[in-house]
């Protein structure tokens, strides 16, 4: 049976991979569009959450009360913020495919993206902050808990976390569960829209729109993988918390271990792929080409050259045909005989 003492090791492994992913996105300006910025905020929240949760679990009962409360507030805020940023990314991909596509093609897209990111930041950071303010208020002011019938978090009473199930549901698992349901709705609606668009593009295939659709579909698949990585593990976390018996069930321990190691699949989903590796290669060691990148570019150049040659040869044949026909027309006399023929 896996001991809970080893969970901080998994969290710190996640911190390493999440930090590496953040570093790559900071070093490559090409990745820092609105989607990359949202992903960076999501990863930053997860990183902070894992660091402070590892400190809580490693410190145990030796942590002073005030520090214990501060760590608990920070862990709750960080994980809530990471889920709200995941919700933002799911909403954004739904926004692209489900009825708001015209706005993506406007010339002032950069200004629009800046405004959207501002709204997303207010929503994500603001929602997590509002919940933590409510937690602090019910913790510090007893009359709020009594008048609003809200459970007290009781941070530091026996551990650096929520003391009771009602408090956990009210301030942590409740918002998390609602976000997971909303994300599932966004993904199911988006996949339905993608299938409809795929049918339409079989009849109308405009090159620009087709390339835009393919790019957004790839982004949808990345977010869907991220949703699976976080969604499945955290759904199991909510279910195991609700029904209890976590200590005796091997299934919950496996999902908890996967939960602590989320940074590893996130790194491979968003960094360990051809496009990102090629950008890193071009930026830091352009003299040494990656094998797959060079092969891909070679194939692209060969395809382009073959296409251009075919176009040029077709154009030359058309020009030769026109020259021959004009030559024949010039040499025909009015009576239909070739000039110079008696």
């Amino acid at each position: 049976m896996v001991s809970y003492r080893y969970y901080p090791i998994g969290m710190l492994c996640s911190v390493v991979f999440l930090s590496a992913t953040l570093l790559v996105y900071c070093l490559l300006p090409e990745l820092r569009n609105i989607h990359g910025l949202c992903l960076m905020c999501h990863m930053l929240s997860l990183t902070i959450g894992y660091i402070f949760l590892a400190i809580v679990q490693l410190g145990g009962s030796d942590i002073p009360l005030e520090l214990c409360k501060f760590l608990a507030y920070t862990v709750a805020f960080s994980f809530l913020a990471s889920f709200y940023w995941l919700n933002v990314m799911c909403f954004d991909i739904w926004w692209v495919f489900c009825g708001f596509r015209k706005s993506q093609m406007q010339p002032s897209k950069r200004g629009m993206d800046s405004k959207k990111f501002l709204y997303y930041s207010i929503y994500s950071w603001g929602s997590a902050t509002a919940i933590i303010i409510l937690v602090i208020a019910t913790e510090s002011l007893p009359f709020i808990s009594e008048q609003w019938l809200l459970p007290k978090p009781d941070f530091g009473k026996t551990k650096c976390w929520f003391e009771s199930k009602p408090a956990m549901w009210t301030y942590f698992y409740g918002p998390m569960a609602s976000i997971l349901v909303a994300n599932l709705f966004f993904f199911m609606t988006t996949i339905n829209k993608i299938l409809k668009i795929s049918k339409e593009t079989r009849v109308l295939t405009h090159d620009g729109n087709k390339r835009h659709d393919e790019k957004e579909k790839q982004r949808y698949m990345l977010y869907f993988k991220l949703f699976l990585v976080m969604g499945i593990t955290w759904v199991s976390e909510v279910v195991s918390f609700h029904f209890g018996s976590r200590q005796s069930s091997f299934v919950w321990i496996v999902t908890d271990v996967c939960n602590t190691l989320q940074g590893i699949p996130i790194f491979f989903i968003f960094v360990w792929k051809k496009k990102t590796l090629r950008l890193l290669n071009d930026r830091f060691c352009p003299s040494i080409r990656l094998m797959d990148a060079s092969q891909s570019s070679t194939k692209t150049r060969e395809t382009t050259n073959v296409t251009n040659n075919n176009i040029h040869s077709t154009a030359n044949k058309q020009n030769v045909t026109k020259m021959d026909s004009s030559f024949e027309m010039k040499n025909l006399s009015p009576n239909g005989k070739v000039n110079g023929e008696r």
Side-chain angles (χ1 to χ4, degrees):
M1 194 73 68
V2 179
S3 173
Y4 279 78
R5 292 178 301 172
Y6 296 106
Y7 287 177
I9 299 176
M11 295 177 196
L12 294 177
C13 288
S14 285
V15 168
V16 171
F17 281 90
L18 286 169
S19 301
T21 308
L22 272 171
L23 179 62
V24 169
Y25 272 73
C26 289
L27 292 175
L28 298 177
E30 297 87 349
L31 300 180
R32 292 199 301 271
N33 50 20
I34 182 173
H35 320 303
L37 291 174
C38 291
L39 181 63
M40 289 174 71
C41 292
H42 169 73
M43 291 185 294
L44 178 63
S45 303
L46 272 182
T47 304
I48 296 173
Y50 279 132
I51 291 174
F52 281 82
L53 185 56
I55 294 173
V56 168
Q57 294 197 357
L58 289 172
S61 58
D62 297 330
I63 302 175
L65 178 60
E66 294 302 321
L67 178 59
C68 180
K69 289 184 177 182
F70 171 75
L71 292 173
Y73 292 140
T74 307
V75 170
F77 172 81
S78 301
F79 281 111
L80 285 170
S82 71
F83 267 85
Y84 279 111
W85 276 110
L86 180 61
N87 184 233
V88 159
M89 290 187 284
C90 297
F91 170 80
D92 189 70
I93 197 69
W94 172 83
W95 175 280
V96 170
F97 279 99
C98 299
F100 301 94
R101 298 166 55 80
K102 291 181 181 179
S103 62
Q104 301 293 322
M105 307 304 292
Q106 291 181 358
S108 59
K109 187 175 183 298
R110 180 175 297 181
M112 276 191 55
D113 285 349
S114 300
K115 190 176 294 186
K116 281 174 64 177
F117 182 69
L118 176 62
Y119 293 153
Y120 290 162
S121 299
I122 293 173
Y123 167 74
S124 301
W125 300 122
S127 299
T129 302
I131 293 175
I132 296 304
I133 289 175
L134 182 61
V135 169
I136 296 174
T138 53
E139 180 79 12
S140 306
L141 305 173
F143 70 90
I144 294 181
S145 176
E146 295 172 359
Q147 290 182 357
W148 294 0
L149 300 177
L150 294 173
K152 286 189 67 176
D154 287 328
F155 286 151
K157 189 173 183 180
T158 59
K159 55 186 177 180
C160 301
W161 198 232
F162 296 99
E163 182 66 21
S164 63
K165 272 191 174 183
M168 282 283 284
W169 272 112
T170 303
Y171 307 113
F172 193 73
Y173 282 136
M176 185 186 299
S178 62
I179 291 172
L180 288 172
V181 171
N183 290 349
L184 183 61
F185 165 77
F186 287 139
F187 274 115
M188 296 302 293
T189 309
T190 304
I191 192 63
N192 182 51
K193 189 66 176 180
I194 287 175
L195 293 175
K196 288 183 179 179
I197 292 174
S198 299
K199 291 180 181 179
E200 293 173 358
T201 52
R202 291 174 188 172
V203 182
L204 301 172
T205 54
H206 188 275
D207 291 340
N209 290 336
K210 191 173 182 181
R211 284 193 298 270
H212 182 262
D213 290 340
E214 290 300 323
K215 184 178 179 182
E216 296 300 338
K217 287 176 186 176
Q218 292 174 6
R219 183 162 67 92
Y220 169 84
M221 289 307 301
L222 290 177
Y223 288 172
F224 185 67
K225 291 176 184 177
L226 179 62
F227 171 72
L228 289 179
V229 169
M230 291 200 65
I232 293 175
T233 53
W234 280 100
V235 165
S236 65
E237 175 80 13
V238 173
V239 172
S240 65
F241 170 79
H242 180 72
F243 291 102
S245 68
R246 295 170 61 89
Q247 299 281 351
S248 59
S249 177
F250 178 75
V251 175
W252 303 136
I253 291 176
V254 170
T255 56
D256 285 346
V257 171
C258 294
N259 214 349
T260 62
L261 297 173
Q262 286 182 3
I264 299 175
I266 288 175
F267 173 81
F268 283 98
I269 289 172
F270 290 98
V271 173
W272 202 261
K273 55 180 185 174
K274 289 182 179 180
K275 177 185 175 182
T276 308
L277 294 176
R278 190 178 302 125
L279 289 172
L280 287 170
N281 179 219
D282 292 341
R283 185 172 180 83
F284 295 104
C285 50
S287 58
I288 304 174
R289 301 298 301 172
L290 294 174
M291 184 63 67
D292 57 350
S294 60
Q295 289 177 350
S296 176
S297 60
T298 302
K299 288 181 180 179
T300 304
R301 284 195 299 268
E302 289 176 355
T303 304
T304 305
N305 291 335
V306 169
T307 304
N308 290 335
N309 290 335
N310 291 336
I311 293 173
H312 288 312
S313 61
T314 303
N316 290 333
K317 289 179 181 178
Q318 292 176 350
N319 290 333
V320 170
T321 305
K322 289 179 181 179
M323 289 175 64
D324 291 339
S325 60
S326 62
F327 177 78
E328 292 176 0
M329 291 296 295
K330 288 180 181 179
N331 288 314
L332 283 176
S333 60
N335 59 4
K337 294 182 179 181
V338 179
N339 292 337
E341 187 177 330
R342 296 181 180 179

